[in-house]
Amino acid sequence: MPHTDAAAVALARHGDSDAFRVLVERHSRAVYRLAHRMTGSPQDAEDVVQETFLKAYRQLGRFESRANFGTWLHRIAVNCSIDLIRGRRHQEAGHDAADLDTLGSADDNRVDPSPERLMLSAQVQERVSRAMDGLTPMERAAFVLRHFEGQSIDEISRALGLKANAAKHSIFRAVRKMRLALEPFVES
Amino acid sequence: MTTNLHLHDDDLVLHYYGELPAPEDARAESHLSACQACQTNYAKLQRLMAFVDSAPAVEAPPGFERVVWARLEPELHQTRRGWTSWVRLSPAYLALAAGVVVLVGAAFVAGRLLPRSGAGGPAPQSAEKVRERILLVDLGEHLDRSQMVLVELVSANNESGSVDISTERARAEQLVAANRLYRHTAVSTGDAAMATLLDDLERVLVDVAASPATVSQADLDSVRRRIDSKELLFKVRVVSSQVRERQKAAIQERTKQSTLGS
């Protein structure tokens, strides 16, 4: 088994599929985490992982050996997630108009698991996941890219094919919705 | 934004992310240092963001890497290899090749059954209908193969306390990639019921593909419960037989049209 990603990439470039398998085993979980954050769906995240590695395999020749494979793969995964979200952009019509006031009440209607049975981090994860599920796909993508990926609003607008102002307002709406959904727990 | 009025929530968001232009950012800083209300509001935003940061990312299920590879490997080979290398394919790829043969065969049969376009003949079928019939042939095969795996899992012998499911696992691995393609097709053609069934089926296939070759009684029971809870075997049987019926009806329709056209 190649010890470094660079060694595995070099072998994979020459058709060694076992070497590429090593890269899949090393990086697929990280790609899944990112894809799940971006899409909010396990099924979509799995599809993004699949597409990411397929694209990476096809573009191995373009990968510069001095670069970090994980970072390169991460960029491909972001783009694959965005492609998937863009493909569903039409679904935002109507969903975008989600009434902010209803978010909190909708959340309250869900069955809460007993706090005793959950570890704190799992509770936090669930709360944040629910809050993010209240975002439209575009708001979610913009928020994830800004908050977790550290991309600037200009970069986000280019990546999502939005005007800078639209990207900015997607982030504002996302934060407003997150606030409504989470502030009761954060401030309690 | 001014230094006299309170900072708007959106400005606080931009300030938090360092997205305010320098002069405005300096004014925001200055305002924040003097305004208790804005300080409180900004502290709330910071606590919210810290809360979001503290949430661990959702992790992939156990055995995920193995499943990714099971789905990916056939596609890599298609990407990498030319036609000449098909002679060296493993049984998994020969199975895929067999699938292609079935498709080509179905296309041929569909083509033979299609009426010849011409004066007086019936209207030619749309390419969409031909594609649908080709898909039906292959989907029927896929559901039958999946059904066999499910049946074997449900009736696996477990006298010794552990069960060797290596055969079922290998079959599940082969079926996962094809199932994914059918699921995508069902989604894109708006067949929600089929997409749901294939989604449920894929989750079980993925679980089996990610399992060790030998599983404990408890693990096998868990797989069986998943199959039972979704009534998966029953649904696959029903849909498989519906697919066969649709396939038969499509062929009969073509034969009828062909006879009328001759």
Side-chain angles (χ1 to χ4, degrees):
Chain A
M1 181 194 288
H3 290 295
T4 65
D5 283 354
V9 169
L11 290 169
R13 269 178 174 163
H14 291 94
D16 184 337
S17 59
D18 286 340
F20 195 69
R21 182 177 188 156
V22 170
L23 294 168
V24 169
E25 284 172 355
R26 279 182 194 157
H27 294 281
S28 54
R29 286 186 169 272
V31 174
Y32 181 90
R33 283 194 289 271
L34 165 73
H36 195 284
R37 262 190 176 137
M38 290 283 287
T39 64
S41 146
Q43 198 70 55
D44 285 346
E46 286 172 19
D47 289 346
V48 167
V49 171
Q50 175 89 2
E51 198 56 30
T52 298
F53 279 104
L54 204 52
K55 278 195 176 163
Y57 189 75
R58 288 175 181 149
Q59 296 173 8
L60 272 181
R62 291 189 220 163
F63 174 71
E64 290 176 25
S65 51
R66 279 177 298 176
N68 181 302
F69 180 77
T71 310
W72 183 69
L73 196 67
H74 192 89
R75 274 203 300 274
I76 295 176
V78 168
N79 290 334
C80 287
S81 303
I82 290 170
D83 287 345
L84 187 140
I85 292 162
R86 270 179 174 165
R88 295 186 176 160
R89 201 169 169 181
H90 62 280
Q91 292 175 359
E92 284 206 18
H95 186 46
D96 226 1
D99 186 353
L100 290 176
D101 295 336
T102 64
L103 282 174
S105 57
D107 202 44
D108 292 342
N109 288 337
R110 297 182 186 182
V111 180
D112 279 346
S114 158
E116 290 80 15
R117 294 177 60 195
L118 286 172
M119 293 177 69
L120 184 61
S121 66
Q123 279 184 312
V124 173
Q125 184 187 57
E126 196 186 345
R127 295 287 182 202
V128 172
S129 287
R130 283 185 189 183
M132 289 183 69
D133 287 346
L135 309 181
T136 66
M138 205 50 90
E139 288 164 359
R140 184 182 186 114
F143 180 73
V144 170
L145 291 176
R146 177 57 268 190
H147 190 83
F148 295 106
E149 298 298 308
Q151 291 194 9
S152 71
I153 288 172
D154 280 345
E155 288 170 322
I156 294 167
S157 66
R158 279 197 298 276
L160 298 179
L162 300 172
K163 289 184 175 168
N165 215 34
K168 197 190 281 184
H169 281 279
S170 287
I171 294 167
F172 292 157
R173 282 197 302 276
V175 174
R176 250 176 267 155
K177 288 181 179 178
M178 299 288 280
R179 248 186 151 149
L180 270 169
L182 293 175
E183 232 163 42
F185 310 109
V186 177
E187 298 299 323
S188 63
Chain B
M1 183 185 76
T2 73
T3 48
N4 298 323
L5 296 172
H6 289 306
L7 293 168
H8 191 274
D9 284 350
D10 293 345
D11 291 323
L12 291 177
V13 171
L14 292 177
H15 177 63
Y16 178 84
Y17 287 129
E19 292 270 9
L20 279 175
E24 286 184 45
D25 202 52
R27 280 201 293 276
E29 272 294 344
S30 161
H31 180 89
L32 274 172
S33 62
C35 177
Q36 186 64 46
C38 285
Q39 274 175 25
T40 305
N41 202 14
Y42 189 57
K44 275 187 180 178
L45 177 67
Q46 287 175 310
R47 282 196 292 276
L48 173 80
M49 297 307 198
F51 187 81
V52 172
D53 285 336
S54 68
V58 173
E59 288 293 336
F64 181 66
E65 299 87 339
R66 189 180 154 77
V67 173
V68 172
W69 185 248
R71 285 173 172 167
L72 200 59
E73 195 184 17
E75 297 195 50
L76 298 189
H77 281 265
Q78 281 176 354
T79 300
R80 199 82 184 180
R81 290 183 169 174
W83 285 100
T84 53
S85 59
W86 280 71
V87 292
R88 292 184 286 119
L89 292 179
S90 66
Y93 298 107
L94 288 174
L96 266 178
V100 173
V101 169
V102 168
L103 273 173
V104 172
F108 176 74
V109 170
R112 289 291 297 269
L113 294 175
L114 265 175
R116 303 277 178 253
S117 59
Q125 282 286 296
S126 67
E128 199 175 310
K129 283 201 168 179
V130 176
R131 274 200 299 275
E132 189 196 343
R133 268 180 288 131
I134 293 170
L135 182 67
L136 285 176
V137 173
D138 209 34
L139 179 61
E141 297 281 335
H142 173 74
L143 289 173
D144 287 349
R145 283 196 291 267
S146 300
Q147 194 181 313
M148 277 173 63
V149 172
L150 297 181
V151 167
E152 281 165 13
L153 285 167
V154 168
S155 57
N157 184 358
N158 54 4
E159 284 169 2
S160 62
S162 63
V163 188
D164 179 359
I165 61 160
S166 53
T167 310
E168 291 80 7
R169 189 180 73 160
R171 284 189 194 159
E173 267 184 23
Q174 289 169 14
L175 291 167
V176 164
N179 197 87
R180 179 171 171 267
L181 291 174
Y182 292 124
R183 176 170 57 77
H184 278 293
T185 306
V187 169
S188 65
T189 55
D191 191 341
M194 181 66 80
T196 305
L197 173 69
L198 291 171
D199 189 25
D200 290 341
L201 178 59
E202 192 170 323
R203 287 171 190 283
V204 171
L205 291 175
V206 161
D207 271 2
V208 175
S211 300
T214 305
V215 295
S216 66
Q217 170 74 50
D219 289 339
L220 186 62
D221 286 346
S222 162
V223 173
R224 284 171 174 165
R225 272 197 300 276
R226 291 197 61 181
I227 295 171
D228 288 345
S229 71
K230 300 272 184 186
E231 295 179 312
L232 199 54
L233 189 50
F234 174 70
K235 287 179 185 169
V236 169
R237 274 182 182 148
V238 169
V239 174
S240 175
S241 113
Q242 285 172 349
V243 165
R244 295 281 181 225
E245 287 303 313
R246 279 163 65 185
Q247 204 179 313
K248 216 185 288 175
I251 290 173
Q252 278 169 357
E253 188 194 340
R254 300 305 321 134
T255 311
K256 202 172 151 190
Q257 285 183 355
S258 180
T259 310
L260 286 171
S262 61

